[in-house]
Structures are given as C-alpha cells and as structure tokens.
Amino acid sequence: MKKFCAVLVVLLIFVACSDSKKDDLIEREVISRASAVISAEEGGVIVSEDGEAEISIPAGALSEDLEITMTVYKKKGFPREADLVSKVVEFGPAGTVFSENVTVKIKADTELTSVPQGKMVTAGLLKGEDWNFDASGDPIMSGDPIMSGDPIMSGDPIMSGDPIMSGDPIMMEMGHFSTVVFLVADIEKDEDDDRDVSDEDHVVDPDEDDIGVPDENDIVDPDEDMTDDDVDPCDPNPCIDMPGATGVCSSWEEEPGYQCQCDENYSWDGSGCAPATRTFTCDPKPEHGTDWNTVDSYEQTWNGSEWVPADSETEYNTEEDTESCRYKCATDYERAENGCVKAGLWSEPGEAGLYWWEASEHCGWMEPEGEWALPTINELRTLIVGCPGTVTGGACNITDNDVGKDDWNAEDCSGCSQESDGRYSIFGDSETFWTDEELPYVQSEDPMWIGDRAWTIDFSSGTIIPYDFYDYINVRCIKRAFGTTRTVNCHPLPENGEWLEGDGKVTQEWNLIHGEYAGWYPDRYIRYTEQVLPDETCQFKCKEGYFYDWEMYECLLNE
C-alpha cells in the first residue's frame, strides 16, 4: 500500500514573501497551471492540472473575491536542484495576504526512500537565488520514509516527542503567497547559513528505534547559535492577551516584524486586531406616504460578542433615531393601522351589507355632497399591504385600465392566505369592499358571469374578485375632486370585432352627469355601429365576413 510522506512543515502565517523576480522563472519549464476566482465569502479549492499541487482557501480568508493562480514547475533550473524532493509551485498574485491560514499540499517527487542521516525534509520559500526555510517547522527527520508521489501536506504543528507515522499527513499552513518547494536540508545550522530550522525540537519516527524514544542526535537546541539578529518578536508572544486576537503570532524580518492572527469579525490594522465594521440595511418601509426617520441604513461595530448597534426591524416611530430602522408618515399623511394614508382622503367604513348601487349612493350623499365616491380598483388597491401580487404595482392585471373578466382568477390576483387579523389592509380591515368598476357584460355558460357584476377587494386575503350587484358588500368611500381625469381602455371587444375608430381608449372626467349625480364621463361601454356616431365613444363593428348578433352580443360568421 502506498504510504503518505509524513512531513511537515509549518509555514507560519504571513511568512516573508519571496522577492524572486518573475523573470527568474521564464526559462524554467512549466508542467501545469491552474487558476480560479475564489469567493471571499465561500472560499474554495484549486488543484493543478496534473494533480501535483493543491491549495485550499477557507471562507473568510480573503477580503474580496480574487483570481488565484498556481503554476507547477520542474525542479530543473532552481537553486539546490539536487536537494529538492517535490516540484516547485508558484502561487499568485504574489504577496497575497490572508486573514486566515490557507492549506497547501504538494506530492513528493524524489528517488529517496528515507531521509538521509543528519538531514531533514522541510519547506522552502524562494528568496532571490536560494531557498529560505527560516519559517519552516516540523520537518521529516532522518530515517523517515519518503514515497515518491505521496502528498506532502500543510497543517497542524507536531510538537517535540510526537510520533511521525509514515502515511499520516501532517498539516502546514501559510498566510502569504510565495514560490514554495520541499527540500532536503542539514539538521545542523551552518555558521554562514542564514536559513534557520524551526524553533520546535525535531521529531523522529518512533518506529526507527525499538523502544520508540528519539535519539539525542535528532534533537536541536532551539537557542543554539542565537545572535542579536535572531531575536523573535513573537517571543514573548504579544498576541496572547491582545483583544480580538487568537493568540497565534507570525514573525518576519521587515518591520513591524510580527502579526497576530485575529478572531472572526476582527482584522489586523498593523498594531492590533481592530473590530470589524459593517453596514446594516433596513428592510423596506411601506411604499406610500412614508419617510425614513431618519436613516435606511447604519454602521455597526463588532464588540467581541455582538454587533453594535443591534440589527433592527423596520417599524413606525415618530422619534428620530440614527441607529435603528424607523419610518414616519410624510407631510399631509396620517397614521393608519398598518401604514400611512393621505389625511382626509378616506371615509370610515359605511354601513355593512349594501348592494352595489346602494354603496354608490351612500358615498354620493356624504357631505360635502358630490365630493365622495366609490373608489376605483386602482384607488382601493393602494390600501392593500403585504400581499405582493395585488398591492399597487403588483403582478395582478386587474386595474382601472383593464376590467375584463379573464384575469380575476389568475394566481397573481387570487391574493394570499386567508387571515382575519387585518394584515392585508392599511386600515386593518378584513372585510370585502366594493369598487365603482363594473365588469363588461358577456355571454357565458359560467354562472359566475350571469348578471351584472362589479369588482371588489377581499382584505382577508388581498384577493381582487367580482361580485353580483345584489350581493351584500361593505363600502369605504374616497374623496375625489370634480375635474379629476383619467384615460382607460374601453370595455373589451367581442371576438371578431374591431374598433371603428381610435385605439379603444377613452379619456374620462369625474363630474356631475346631467347635473344630477357624480360619475365618470363619457362612459366606457362598447357600442356596435357600422358608421361613426358623433359624441359617442368606444364604437366598434364586426370584421369583414361577420355580422353582429344583437341577442348574443357577438360577431358571428356569415353563412
């Protein structure tokens, strides 16, 4: 069975980036490439085309979505070629820094079957024309097996005395992109060599000795040959008691020389872990007659356990506040149960259970006489809240402009769930109310369409539905000034009919009709005629080859 090479090698977070120039790699042979845009929110994994290398980037490690590249090179042409035990992998964009460690895995590529005596396998970063393994740790020690093709993985550090079992992957993590490789290096540090092995004691394979105890020759004194230039800014660890830090410290040569790993919702600002900030966007307020009081979004800061100020629901409140979602009624609007309405525009509900023409008369007799009317479909729809299909602007096609029968039972017009708490009415109504819009007369075998009918809105579900003139329905009147105009469609043509002139629209004015009662004039009823009649609207004729049946109100084919 193939065994995993038990390496590793901890590249500490934000290790020094290789200063190798791109030109240095031009002549070196590329084996494979891979790239992908990694989501900052979700993270992701990239694997080279030949499977030699893999990088795993956790969610939240990037500050924004970024295209990550990975190039795998042959060993030939790189420094210390004979010592390299894996192919060379270059990650980009060069210098990319992560807020959380990323995991790298590279397969071993060597004829060695075990680590030579006095040697170790460690990770190296390309720096100029040599490999820097100053930040490496937990190497494979002499006598440990190396299987060509086995993955050398990145990850959790191995402490002194822990066993390294062949086949068990050992994790290495890195926080700063560079060009990396695994190589054989001397355990003992040369006096003129600026590459240091890990401060951790090296670990041997417990299977190497019968008793499983490391030989003293395999232990390196971490303080041996220490000079002033080797002072570690992470010793003592400044991150242990730092607010917002995990306690993990990473160091490098350049100032300030270290960085602390920050907890979730904190970020490194150069000297400490600063609380994260974000913008909280309020849920929408009622669309009509309302203003924000005073903001529709606000900034939040993480305090270590929660966002401050807290998330909030959008609600009515007349007291100004910049740290919560509040709305108020706009000028000339007044508070209703579930929103704001134009002041003085709507009456209180009238007497329950009126025929349609009784409801019309009830509004017409209200004082001041002539200024009150049954609402149109569009006007009554402005009182619907919380039912997307039938609110003003919703998908339901039944409007003042289209009062045909075809769409009344469509899904968009059939409202929402049946409720009795008034949630779909701005006034908190749960009853059904008349509009002033009649349905056009049609011949139908459907009992639903026998007799004269008008449109209503059932506020227990937000449904727009027709009822017979003789049904008992509630009424709420609207104030409408004389002289108000609108342009609407005429009632629908019968099948095989066509407009005698015009486009089937009529401009109406709300006024006294014959000096007796208020209404829309001229009306929108269709009229069959073969010649244009003066002072008439919505005139139509049958198409050529058809005649008009006055009993059926249809255009029938000539026989």
Side-chain angles (χ1 to χ4, degrees), residues 145-325:
I146 302 178
M147 301 297 292
S148 182
D150 281 347
I152 300 176
M153 301 210 28
S154 58
D156 300 328
I158 296 179
M159 305 305 292
S160 177
D162 287 344
I164 302 179
M165 303 298 293
S166 177
D168 289 341
I170 304 172
M171 305 298 291
M172 175 265 294
E173 298 178 340
M174 60 187 295
H176 193 180
F177 268 170
S178 185
T179 299
V180 299
V181 75
F182 290 96
L183 71 160
V184 174
D186 293 333
I187 293 178
E188 296 293 338
K189 178 180 182 301
D190 296 333
E191 291 183 1
D192 59 348
D193 193 347
D194 64 353
R195 298 181 303 275
D196 296 331
V197 296
S198 170
D199 288 343
E200 301 280 355
D201 289 345
H202 295 313
V203 182
V204 299
D205 189 339
D207 296 332
E208 181 176 312
D209 298 315
D210 292 338
I211 59 173
V213 178
D215 187 77
E216 63 181 2
N217 292 328
D218 292 319
I219 307 298
V220 177
D221 184 349
D223 296 324
E224 184 177 358
D225 296 330
M226 287 291 287
T227 67
D228 291 341
D229 293 335
D230 296 320
V231 174
D232 185 357
C234 289
D235 186 15
N237 188 345
C239 307
I240 294 297
D241 297 320
M242 179 179 291
T246 64
V248 175
C249 180
S250 303
S251 62
W252 59 87
E253 294 178 2
E254 294 81 6
E255 292 295 333
Y258 78 95
Q259 178 168 327
C260 298
Q261 185 184 56
C262 298
D263 279 325
E264 184 178 4
N265 296 324
Y266 288 86
S267 60
W268 183 253
D269 65 3
S271 60
C273 290
T277 60
R278 71 177 187 183
T279 298
F280 180 81
T281 301
C282 301
D283 289 335
K285 62 179 178 59
E287 182 176 358
H288 300 287
T290 59
D291 293 324
W292 287 108
N293 193 23
T294 58
V295 297
D296 60 359
S297 65
Y298 51 90
E299 294 300 309
Q300 297 175 302
T301 301
W302 185 254
N303 72 355
S305 59
E306 60 185 359
W307 291 100
V308 178
D311 297 357
S312 62
E313 294 183 358
T314 299
E315 62 181 7
Y316 176 81
N317 196 313
T318 57
E319 186 175 340
E320 293 183 358
D321 188 23
T322 60
E323 296 183 346
S324 65
C325 299

Side-chain angles (χ1 to χ4, degrees), residues 10-89:
V10 176
L11 293 183
L12 297 178
I13 308 172
F14 306 105
V15 295
C17 178
S18 166
D19 62 2
S20 61
K21 297 179 180 178
K22 194 75 174 176
D23 292 344
D24 295 337
L25 300 179
I26 291 176
E27 308 236 349
R28 292 157 181 163
E29 184 174 352
V30 174
I31 300 174
S32 65
R33 287 187 171 93
S35 66
V37 175
I38 299 299
S39 164
E41 181 178 356
E42 299 178 0
V45 176
I46 304 176
V47 181
S48 64
E49 297 170 349
D50 56 5
E52 290 291 324
E54 176 182 313
I55 183 169
S56 177
I57 301 174
L62 291 167
S63 59
E64 60 183 0
D65 294 355
L66 183 67
E67 182 176 14
I68 302 298
T69 62
M70 180 167 55
T71 305
V72 182
Y73 294 89
K74 286 188 176 181
K75 294 181 282 187
K76 184 176 181 181
F78 282 91
R80 301 179 60 165
E81 178 183 336
D83 294 330
L84 306 186
V85 296
S86 75
K87 293 181 175 63
V88 178
V89 183

